[in-house]
């Protein structure tokens, strides 16, 4: 006798209530409600191979409503992923188990992206779907032809980032993207009507999606809708009507959302779904039906493998999906550095970034750039990167529109998908807008490069709304984020190379709007910025050390000259990446910073974070307020970020 969709779904329900009860925490309402629809998706549509979770052409499934993590853990376990054992489910949310509170892709194979902060998943999925189309254009149907499925809840759709994601996906006509909206009309506080009255179908349709309302507890209806979704020429949103906490007395109400239901309610659920089995126990026929469902893509997998192996593009494809960079990358960067030194020109570091990007995007076909409507200001577009559009998916430049948060999330998705090294631009001050996605990218360890120009009061007339003050410090505070603030053309090239080689996390390039004086006037093939900080200009018998970053290196150098005239020799250290400097040996750090010599830092931002290097008694020349609107030279004078101020700080200490 064959096992029904309902029985298979009940296995998800049972594992989810048992796990949440055992952990005494977790959100069980969603898995109880979405079990029927998710079973249809995983048994009839999702192309995947539990035996090879990294299969390049698998469909991606993103649980955007990450709090419902027991849904995905149950699905992975039941379909045969080694990554989630029955014991891992018994130990839901415990140390050492592959079943953390919210899905973490770096912990659990089969989890495509880390979710939990509502809205991130759907926005990340847009990047995955764009990556799929781009790589399809590059490598063809034989190698890349898959879908991205998203399960999003009311919470995901209320978050602002979802609007950016939905409108971008609609604009890009991502017909490979299918969202199942868990339309249960309940969040934590209660019914959604307390806070929102949006007609979600109308909202998605307004952004050129195809939508359909579906009864989430009728497998035939879900199956028909998912079949219909495959045939659309635009992204699809299925509003899957479900009852949160299906089977419980509290079903359909706020308290159904989460927390352990307690013995009595668990008994009610078991009874109403007809599940008399012991906790964590699954009857063998249901187990077998799930195991068989886990092999549903075997034929596709085998066919793909033989096509792929026969494809003339296979080696390039594998290379693109790996993290490898071209063997000649250092040569490319060194040739560029040499030409910068020989040119003897002064320019803004954003311009230098644009110049080195011309060479990098030529050498690295996986680089896909973009900007949130500031292309000309961010200097992120190169001759190599034609716009990515619905009629030219092979393009390598995304006009993200004014969607900083969606852009950062989409870049995470591209990087997770593989085959793309994403970078994009906006003004540094707007890092705050994209912070949710930047942070998840750092947590996941994705190589995503955020070009953030206009990095201080040095942007001038646009004023304090646009002038970052605390941003460099706050991004430095983020674990696993490399913040680069190069001082000239040579350092900018070195920082780009270092960021590209950093395959285990994101980087931020903080770049000036204004022209800066070149500090590196002698060529060396050595990447001096790679250690984060280095002696830029030494002096015999130095009595103090001035540490500077970016545009303030020029001020440090001027102070050094002034002090020399006064008979006070000082060393200047350039510190383009404090995070990398922190990773060096203590002896290198001490040697570079001159041991016990007094230290003075100069940076057009807040002091926060600098005390570690200059000491509580060190000197700091920077900002301790918001900026102002005026020509930048006047602002540097107004806020006292000058060579004279640095000189005074040194003189106080020698
Ligand atoms: C950005 C963000 N804000 C708040 C939360 C806390 N939170 C977790 S689940 C949830 C409610 C989600 O409601 P819904 O998406 O309808 O999920 P359901 O109640 O259907 O499980 C909230 C507010 C979060 N995880 N992320």
């Amino acid at each position: 006798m064959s096992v029904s969709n309902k029985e298979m779904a009940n296995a998800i329900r049972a594992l989810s209530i048992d796990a949440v009860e055992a952990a005494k925490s977790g959100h069980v309402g969603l898995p109880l409600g979405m079990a029927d629809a998710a079973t249809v998706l995983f048994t009839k549509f999702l192309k995947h191979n539990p035996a090879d979770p990294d299969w390049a052409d698998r469909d991606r499934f993103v649980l955007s409503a990450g709090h419902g993590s027991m849904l995905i853990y149950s699905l992975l376990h039941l379909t045969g992923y080694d990554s989630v054992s029955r014991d891992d489910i018994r130990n839901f949310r415990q140390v050492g188990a592959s079943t953390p509170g919210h899905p973490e892709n770096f912990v659990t194979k089969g989890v495509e992206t880390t979710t939990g902060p509502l809205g991130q998943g759907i926005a990340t999925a847009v990047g995955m779907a764009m990556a799929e189309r781009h790589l399809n254009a590059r490598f063809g149907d034989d190698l890349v032809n898959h879908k991205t499925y998203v399960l999003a809840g009311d919470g995901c759709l209320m978050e602002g980032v979802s609007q950016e994601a939905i409108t971008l996906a609609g604009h890009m006509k991502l017909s490979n993207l299918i969202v199942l909206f868990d339309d249960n009309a309940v969040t934590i506080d209660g019914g959604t009507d307390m806070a929102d009255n949006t007609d979600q179908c109308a909202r998605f349709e307004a952004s050129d999606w195809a939508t359909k309302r579906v009864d989430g507890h009728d497998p035939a209806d879900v199956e028909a809708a998912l079949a219909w979704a495959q045939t659309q020429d635009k992204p699809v949103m299925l509003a899957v009507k479900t009852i949160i906490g299906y089977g419980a007395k509290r079903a359909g109400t706020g308290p159904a959302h989460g927390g352990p239901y307690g013995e009595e309610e668990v008994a009610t659920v078991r009874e109403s779904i007809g599940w008399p089995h012991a906790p964590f126990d699954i009857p063998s026929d249901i187990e077998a039906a799930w195991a068989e469902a886990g092999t549903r893509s075997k034929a596709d997998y085998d066919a793909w493998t033989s096509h792929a192996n026969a494809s003339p593009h296979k080696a390039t494809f594998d290379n693109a999906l790996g993290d490898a960079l071209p063997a000649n990358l250092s040569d490319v960067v060194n040739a560029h550095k040499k030409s910068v030194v020989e040119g003897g020109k002064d320019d803004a570091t954003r311009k230098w970034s644009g110049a080195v990007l011309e060479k990098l995007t030529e050498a690295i076909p996986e680089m896909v750039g973009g900007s949130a409507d500031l292309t000309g200001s961010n200097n992120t577009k190169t001759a190599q990167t034609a716009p990515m559009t619905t009629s030219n998916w092979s393009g390598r430049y995304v006009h993200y529109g004014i969607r900083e948060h969606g852009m950062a999330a989409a870049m995470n998705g591209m990087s997770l998908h593989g085959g793309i090294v994403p970078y994009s631009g906006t003004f540094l001050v707007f890092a705050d807008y994209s912070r949710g996605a930047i942070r998840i990218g750092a947590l996941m360890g994705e190589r995503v490069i955020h070009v953030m120009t206009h990095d201080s009061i040095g942007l001038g007339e646009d004023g304090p709304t646009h002038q970052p003050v605390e941003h460099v410090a706050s991004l430095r505070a983020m674990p696993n984020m490399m913040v680069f603030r190069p001082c000239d053309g040579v350092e900018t090239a070195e920082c780009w190379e270092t960021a590209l080689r950093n395959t285990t996390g994101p980087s931020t390039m903080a770049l000036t709007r204004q022209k800066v004086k070149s500090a590196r006037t002698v060529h060396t093939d050595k990447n001096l910025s790679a250690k984060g900080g280095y002696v830029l200009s030494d002096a015999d018998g130095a009595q103090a050390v001035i540490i500077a970053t970016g545009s303030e290196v020029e001020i440090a150098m001027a102070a050094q000259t002034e002090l020399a005239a006064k008979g006070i020799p000082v060393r200047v250290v350039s510190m383009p990446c404090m995070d990398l400097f922190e990773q060096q040996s203590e002896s290198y750090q001490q040697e570079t910073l001159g041991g016990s010599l007094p230290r003075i830092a100069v940076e057009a931002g807040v002091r926060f974070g600098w005390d570690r290097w200059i000491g509580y008694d060190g000197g700091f020349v920077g900002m301790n307020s918001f900026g102002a609107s005026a020509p930048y030279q006047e602002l540097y004078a107004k806020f006292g970020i000058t060579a004279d101020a640095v000189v005074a700080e040194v003189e106080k200490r020698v």
Side-chain angles (χ1 to χ4, degrees), residues 28 170 248 277 343:
V28 75
H277 318 291

Side-chain angles (χ1 to χ4, degrees), residues 30 67 116-118 153-156 159 182 184 186-188 244 257:
L30 182 151
H67 57 280
L118 298 169
D154 297 295
C156 290
E159 289 292 348
D182 179 16
N184 62 27
V186 168
T187 62
I188 292 181
I244 190 167
H257 167 92

Side-chain angles (χ1 to χ4, degrees), residues 637-651:
K638 173 179 162 66
F639 291 102
I641 305 175
T642 60
D644 286 350
V646 175
V647 167
E649 289 296 324
V650 171
E651 285 184 316

Side-chain angles (χ1 to χ4, degrees), residues 177-219:
L177 180 65
I178 299 171
V179 172
L180 287 85
F181 160 41
D182 179 16
D183 185 10
N184 62 27
V186 168
T187 62
I188 292 181
D189 279 0
T192 48
D193 57 2
M194 283 183 307
D196 191 50
N197 302 312
T198 305
D199 174 342
Q200 294 292 358
C201 286
R203 174 193 181 204
F204 277 74
E205 278 165 21
S207 296
D208 207 15
W209 286 56
T211 74
K212 211 181 221 346
R213 293 184 196 276
V214 183
D215 177 350
H217 298 299
D218 176 353

